[in-house]
Amino acid sequence: SPKECFLLRFRFLALLTIQIESSEYCTWPLRGTHMAKRGSVDISNTNSYIKRSRLEEKSIMDNSSTISWGDWMGSWKVGKDIDQEAERIDRQKAAFGGETISRLKDLNVLILGCRGVGVETAKNLILSNVGGVIICDSETCCTADRGTNFYINDDHVCQGLTRAEASQEELKTLNPFCRVDIVNENNLDDLLLSDSVLGTGRGFGAVVVTSLQLSLDIFDINEKCRQNGIAFILAANHGITSSLFSDFGISHEILDATGEPTRTLAVSNVEVLEKKPILLKISGYPEEKRVVIVTVAQIEHGLDDGDIVTLDDMRGELESWNGRQVKVKRVAIASPTAAKLDTGGVAFKEALKLPTPSVVNNFQRQYDFYKEQHETSDSRDEKFPVRCITMFNRLALVLDDESETLNAFLSYQVGGLLNQVRPPIKKSYKSLKETLEQTPVPQMLRGEEWELGHGIEIHLASQAVLDFYKSKNYWPRLHNDDDAKEFTDMCVCLSESRQAFDGHCWSQKVEWGFPSGESRKLDRKRIGRYARLFETELTGFCAFLGGAAAQEVLKKSGKFTPINQWIHHDESSLVVDECTSNISSLSDSRYAYQIAIMGKDFQERAAQQRVFLVGCGALGCEYLKGLALMGIGTGRNGKIWVTDMDRIEVSNLSRQFLFRQDDVGHPKSVRGALAVQKWNASLKIEALERRVGDETEDFFNDIFWESLDLCWNALDNVQARRYTDSKCLLYSKPLLESGTLGTKCNHEVILPFRTSTYNDGNENDEDENQIAMCTLRSFPYLPLHCIEFAKQSYFSDYFEFGPDQYETFRTDKVVFFEQLDSMDCDEQYRALTMISSLLQIQKQATG
């Protein structure tokens, strides 16, 4: 039905505003607050907006020769009201680690293009506290830009400012400790090669191209980046298609591939098997060779083949092995498929506690029994079916094949630890030009589309659109059928010209992600639509790409693994009615691009939507932004309610981009609503400070819930999620559910009579082993929260930070003072005080 089509497109755009921080996804339930009842503020007719102070840049660059990098940073704000940098980024430090945060301070980033993707990327990087963000976009602002760039207003359009000029002032206010500048395209070549960008003493660490629709030669820029060790990121949204490309050059070192904490395993037994049993399966290990098997106390060791561990706390004759690094491999055992062994059962887990020879003997008897049955059955001519079961409490040590080395472990008696080590990984990446040609099966965001080869059309179109501009000196025009036909023909010719070359991207059948070499017809409809909608952007795609591109830039620090060069996405379900009268462009409308893709009917229904947003934190700010840019709740019957009981803290400013220093101490919902209403004065929005729960059902009553079209959760605790889900089920309302924790995120679309509900799952607060920081600081309500607070406030200082600083000071004073220079005054004082205390303790102990 039309309503279902509308809901499908709306919820898709809504989901895209969850900014993906990494390629890992999970469904972590997030904790939150116990909120007290307060009043509400209706600002649907409020025209006033609290003016934020515009602090002038203090020029100190004249003394740049004597001022180091850290000295001039933060010059956007001066005086007693300056917000402390360390407090702003303390939650980022918990997610990334102090070493990564220090590296980010040395990072200058150039962003080419300042439409939707450009401003989103710039915003995210500035909040991430990189050293400097320089934007380049000389195109004049137009009204349609206001649909994706939230910092462009009518005055900027009337004054004829460039997109970069219009965006710079607001971008500066996001973070006083990050330099924000604009550059002209004419100075780009010299700037790229400079080893001191704008007097910072650093060159560029990364370049982000945010659109293919640039007059610049992006191939040349990519080559210069590769030659100078600069990461090159391409993030482009054109119509309903988005693409992300990452090139970290010829050699890039990854210091921490996953960002997950390393594991420490307690050793419960060490055995030396004179001959590896045939049933025991160890990858790459020869049969009947001596092998050292380590049994750990944990049920699951969580390590993979080839991981490195350091031996520690070994005793007796093995004490000399402490500190040595050893490669480990998983240990599996063969079991007949017919045995149908329950590996999750108590009996199996108890059996694994036996010595390894006993475990092997038990499996051997089972193996012989079922094999004898097989040989006497009717299927005896068939292969005996066997499966390998990994024993997650055992690891094999990969050691030199010397008797003396292996014999040392015969003396094991008790104790020992295995500490996981993540050695640096070096990877090499191909150039933009090379990958556009030699990526036979481009990766898609959805795995099933990648397996079917749907990325081939997008990949060919990405190359063809650059060729189109080179030959025509203009880009494919909006809804122009002639351009679309010519563009499609170019894609067909491009595909045919590559067919003879091995490993190139051309139109061939793909099965399970592998090219077959058999030709197929290109999807001319998809390619033609790419050309007709090339000029447009959608705010949901821009938010997604801005988050993903910013995260790729942060990987320049060596934290996390970059994407495997290309990822595409194409969402054809957003286009339903392509009738000319429905999608004709409105040149004087901020929703022009949205209408050009989804039509006037969609825009009219969007304006009449009544949306309840629960939560106005990091996700809530993003969702409010998306609703305002899309024009949700701007019609006669439309309205948005946003509720959040939290007050704004300084630490919120690094993620919740609607707030500034002047907002600290004020309600999140009120200030967030004021900010987005400034962007879109037609928005009808009411800010509430009410908890959504049983005690507020006098306000959130039947009339309220019945009037809604959509409920949208931006919560951080399971209890509130369950409550809103129960209400949506009772009143048959769609629910959008999402959450983040560090670099992980989850989302879920819950539709009445179509999907399972949130309460059908098993999530609860007790299952979670991490706690939301806002809960810890503002509303701790469980004993666990108090324990964690004490741990973070005292334990980390005296048992982690202090000893780490002392050890660095003791072993390498040069490195210590380099680290000290990168700290703020408070951290420096804390480090030196703790080192002094430890020195005093050592002096007293030694007399």
Side-chain angles (χ1 to χ4, degrees):
S1 68
K3 184 175 182 179
E4 290 171 346
C5 292
F6 165 77
L7 182 59
L8 174 67
R9 290 183 284 173
F10 176 67
R11 71 180 172 86
F12 179 80
L13 286 174
L15 283 175
L16 282 177
T17 61
I18 299 179
Q19 299 188 32
I20 297 181
E21 300 293 345
S22 72
S23 58
E24 300 173 86
Y25 298 81
C26 68
T27 53
W28 296 70
L30 310 180
R31 288 188 177 83
T33 64
H34 276 218
M35 298 180 276
K37 183 176 178 181
R38 297 190 187 126
S40 67
V41 180
D42 188 346
I43 62 169
S44 57
N45 296 316
T46 302
N47 294 321
S48 62
Y49 181 78
I50 296 179
K51 296 181 180 179
R52 299 191 177 102
S53 60
R54 298 290 185 258
L55 296 166
E56 298 293 327
E57 175 185 4
K58 182 181 179 182
S59 176
I60 61 173
M61 298 312 298
D62 295 339
N63 300 323
S64 59
S65 59
T66 59
I67 295 176
S68 65
W69 174 249
D71 292 332
W72 63 265
M73 289 177 56
S75 60
W76 305 115
K77 281 191 177 182
V78 293
K80 63 180 181 180
D81 295 327
I82 185 169
D83 43 352
Q84 294 300 314
E85 184 177 17
E87 190 174 358
R88 288 176 66 98
I89 64 171
D90 66 339
R91 301 188 191 183
Q92 285 175 263
K93 191 173 182 179
F96 293 136
E99 189 176 356
T100 301
I101 293 296
S102 299
R103 289 197 183 98
L104 295 181
K105 295 296 296 181
D106 291 336
L107 196 60
N108 284 327
V109 185
L110 173 63
I111 297 178
L112 302 177
C114 202
R115 298 176 77 196
V117 179
V119 75
E120 290 279 2
T121 306
K123 176 254 294 181
N124 293 329
L125 287 171
I126 293 167
L127 292 176
S128 298
N129 207 39
V130 298
V133 172
I134 294 88
I135 51 179
C136 177
D137 193 327
S138 59
E139 292 294 321
T140 305
C141 297
C142 66
T143 303
D145 288 333
R146 300 190 63 202
T148 53
N149 187 323
F150 36 88
Y151 288 146
I152 294 177
N153 57 41
D154 284 333
D155 291 339
H156 297 145
V157 176
C158 295
Q159 293 169 14
L161 296 181
T162 65
R163 295 190 190 114
E165 292 170 341
S167 305
Q168 182 189 16
E169 189 65 24
E170 284 292 335
L171 287 172
K172 277 185 177 183
T173 67
L174 286 170
N175 184 357
F177 302 99
C178 176
R179 185 185 177 99
V180 181
D181 278 293
I182 59 177
V183 295
N184 192 287
E185 292 178 3
N186 299 329
N187 304 326
L188 210 54
D189 288 344
D190 293 337
L191 198 62
L192 270 176
L193 304 179
S194 172
D195 57 1
S196 181
V197 175
L198 301 177
T200 61
R202 303 284 193 283
F204 281 116
V207 172
V208 185
V209 176
T210 61
S211 175
L212 292 173
Q213 198 174 351
L214 298 175
S215 57
L216 302 168
D217 186 346
I218 60 175
F219 294 114
D220 180 59
I221 294 172
N222 176 239
E223 286 301 325
K224 288 178 179 176
C225 288
R226 290 175 63 83
Q227 293 168 11
N228 291 275
I230 302 172
F232 177 90
I233 315 297
L234 169 65
N237 168 221
H238 297 288
I240 57 173
T241 304
S242 53
S243 301
L244 183 65
F245 170 74
S246 179
D247 175 14
F248 280 75
I250 300 171
S251 179
H252 172 65
E253 187 175 59
I254 302 169
L255 303 175
D256 186 351
T258 65
E260 295 295 323
T262 54
R263 301 178 68 91
T264 295
L265 305 171
V267 178
S268 63
N269 195 17
V270 177
E271 300 161 294
V272 179
L273 305 184
E274 293 301 322
K275 290 184 179 180
K276 185 181 79 68
I278 296 176
L279 289 187
L280 215 57
K281 305 298 180 183
I282 303 172
S283 176
Y285 218 90
E287 299 291 344
E288 299 189 353
K289 180 182 176 182
R290 294 183 80 191
V291 59
V292 177
I293 302 294
V294 176
T295 303
V296 298
Q298 287 88 339
I299 296 175
E300 294 189 8
H301 52 67
L303 302 183
D304 293 319
D305 284 345
D307 281 356
I308 306 294
V309 298
T310 299
L311 300 179
D312 193 12
D313 198 31
M314 305 300 287
R315 304 169 190 177
E317 295 182 19
L318 288 174
E319 188 173 353
S320 61
W321 282 75
N322 289 335
R324 293 180 61 173
Q325 293 187 357
V326 179
K327 186 181 292 186
V328 297
K329 292 199 173 185
R330 289 186 171 191
V331 179
I333 195 161
S335 173
T337 305
K340 298 181 180 179
L341 194 63
D342 180 14
T343 57
V346 176
F348 177 76
K349 293 178 180 178
E350 288 297 319
L352 291 185
K353 295 179 180 180
L354 297 172
T356 303
S358 299
V359 174
V360 173
N361 289 336
N362 290 339
F363 273 86
Q364 187 67 56
R365 288 195 295 270
Q366 179 197 71
Y367 184 92
D368 294 339
F369 173 79
Y370 282 100
K371 187 170 184 181
E372 183 180 351
Q373 282 192 337
H374 174 79
E375 291 174 348
T376 58
S377 66
D378 295 337
S379 58
R380 57 182 173 274
D381 294 332
E382 300 176 6
K383 185 178 179 180
F384 180 46
V386 175
R387 65 169 179 157
C388 286
I389 299 173
T390 302
M391 296 189 288
F392 285 107
N393 70 334
R394 280 174 169 80
L395 290 163
L397 302 185
V398 181
L399 302 168
D400 295 333
D401 189 16
E402 297 180 3
S403 297
E404 294 181 3
T405 301
L406 299 181
N407 288 341
F409 287 90
L410 291 171
S411 64
Y412 174 83
Q413 293 181 349
V414 69
L417 297 172
L418 301 181
N419 297 317
Q420 185 184 9
V421 177
R422 290 204 180 101
I425 302 170
K426 286 195 174 181
K427 292 190 68 175
S428 179
Y429 296 85
K430 297 180 180 179
S431 68
L432 175 66
K433 184 175 182 180
E434 190 176 3
T435 55
L436 274 175
E437 293 178 355
Q438 300 177 23
T439 307
V441 186
Q443 187 176 348
M444 295 288 285
L445 196 59
R446 292 195 185 107
E448 60 271 21
E449 293 181 350
W450 166 71
E451 291 176 351
L452 295 172
H454 288 180
I456 291 175
E457 276 80 1
I458 303 176
H459 211 67
L460 290 171
S462 300
Q463 174 67 67
V465 77
L466 299 173
D467 296 340
F468 184 96
Y469 179 80
K470 189 174 181 180
S471 63
K472 299 286 186 180
N473 203 30
Y474 64 85
W475 302 101
R477 291 164 290 186
L478 182 63
H479 293 159
N480 189 297
D481 291 334
D482 293 335
D483 285 355
K485 183 179 183 306
E486 187 172 355
F487 178 78
T488 304
D489 292 339
M490 290 180 68
C491 286
V492 173
C493 292
L494 181 63
S495 175
E496 292 174 349
S497 67
R498 293 177 174 178
Q499 189 168 349
F501 298 96
D502 187 38
H504 279 51
C505 180
W506 58 280
S507 182
Q508 58 180 315
K509 290 183 179 179
V510 176
E511 298 176 353
W512 302 103
F514 295 95
S516 65
E518 183 181 350
S519 177
R520 68 166 174 86
K521 289 184 178 180
L522 278 173
D523 190 335
R524 299 180 69 93
K525 184 177 181 180
R526 285 179 63 205
I527 293 175
R529 183 180 287 157
Y530 180 94
R532 283 193 294 272
L533 301 177
F534 182 77
E535 287 187 10
T536 63
E537 282 188 321
L538 287 176
T539 182
F541 280 114
C542 293
F544 166 77
L545 287 170
Q551 183 67 11
E552 285 302 296
V553 171
L554 300 186
K555 294 173 185 177
K556 176 67 177 175
S557 66
K559 188 85 168 182
F560 307 117
T561 304
I563 64 169
N564 190 17
Q565 305 251 249
W566 280 100
I567 295 181
H568 297 296
H569 183 67
D570 191 41
E571 193 56 51
S572 57
S573 63
L574 294 175
V575 180
V576 178
D577 184 1
E578 295 186 89
C579 176
T580 305
S581 61
N582 186 40
I583 61 173
S584 58
S585 176
L586 301 178
S587 58
D588 60 342
S589 171
R590 65 182 300 158
Y591 312 118
Y593 293 152
Q594 197 163 277
I595 292 171
I597 295 172
M598 293 181 285
K600 298 174 184 176
D601 292 343
F602 169 86
Q603 194 59 46
E604 174 60 28
R605 290 195 293 274
Q608 305 302 329
Q609 293 298 293
R610 299 170 68 84
V611 178
F612 183 30
L613 178 61
V614 188
C616 194
L619 286 178
C621 286
E622 292 293 329
Y623 298 157
L624 272 182
K625 173 201 69 183
L627 292 170
L629 295 182
M630 292 174 65
I632 306 299
T634 56
R636 179 190 303 175
N637 300 317
K639 189 172 181 179
I640 298 170
W641 290 266
V642 55
T643 187
D644 196 311
M645 299 205 36
D646 284 352
R647 298 286 171 133
I648 300 165
E649 302 175 4
V650 171
S651 60
N652 298 145
L653 304 181
S654 65
R655 301 173 331 285
Q656 300 168 23
F657 82 108
L658 296 182
F659 311 135
R660 302 295 185 271
Q661 182 66 25
D662 292 343
D663 297 322
V664 172
H666 292 276
K668 289 183 178 181
S669 57
V670 174
R671 291 305 177 99
L674 284 168
V676 296
Q677 195 178 51
K678 179 188 175 185
W679 299 342
N680 191 341
S682 301
L683 200 65
K684 297 178 180 178
I685 184 169
E686 182 176 353
L688 307 171
E689 293 181 73
R690 295 178 182 270
R691 183 180 186 273
V692 181
D694 295 332
E695 63 271 29
T696 56
E697 289 186 353
D698 58 334
F699 183 87
F700 300 116
N701 51 26
D702 292 347
I703 297 174
F704 175 83
W705 285 101
E706 289 285 4
S707 70
L708 296 178
D709 294 301
L710 174 71
C711 181
W712 198 345
N713 279 349
L715 292 160
D716 57 6
N717 71 95
V718 173
Q719 182 183 3
R721 284 186 170 102
R722 289 189 177 280
Y723 180 83
T724 55
D725 178 72
S726 67
K727 288 299 179 181
C728 289
L729 177 64
L730 179 63
Y731 295 98
S732 300
K733 301 299 178 182
L735 173 65
L736 298 180
E737 170 56 47
S738 57
T740 65
L741 185 63
T743 57
K744 301 179 178 68
C745 68
N746 71 284
H747 71 265
E748 187 175 5
V749 179
I750 301 168
L751 300 176
F753 315 114
R754 297 287 187 88
T755 67
S756 60
T757 69
Y758 181 82
N759 282 309
D760 290 336
N762 296 318
E763 290 83 3
N764 59 71
D765 283 336
E766 286 69 30
D767 291 339
E768 184 51 62
N769 57 12
Q770 298 189 53
I771 305 170
M773 287 295 293
C774 54
T775 302
L776 208 60
R777 288 173 173 269
S778 303
F779 299 95
Y781 59 92
L782 293 175
L784 178 64
H785 299 161
C786 300
I787 295 170
E788 185 65 24
F789 179 85
K791 176 184 173 183
Q792 294 205 10
S793 298
Y794 303 104
F795 184 87
S796 60
D797 274 358
Y798 292 100
F799 292 93
E800 292 178 4
F801 179 77
D804 285 347
Q805 294 299 315
Y806 173 79
E807 186 64 15
T808 305
F809 174 77
R810 186 183 68 82
T811 57
D812 194 332
K813 290 182 174 58
V814 174
V815 173
F816 169 76
F817 285 110
E818 286 179 354
Q819 291 181 358
L820 202 65
D821 288 339
S822 67
M823 299 178 186
D824 59 32
C825 293
D826 290 341
E827 280 189 310
Q828 288 178 349
Y829 177 77
R830 188 157 56 105
L832 293 172
T833 301
M834 289 190 170
I835 290 174
S836 176
S837 300
L838 291 170
L839 288 172
Q840 289 294 329
I841 293 171
Q842 186 182 36
K843 185 177 180 180
Q844 293 172 5
T846 56

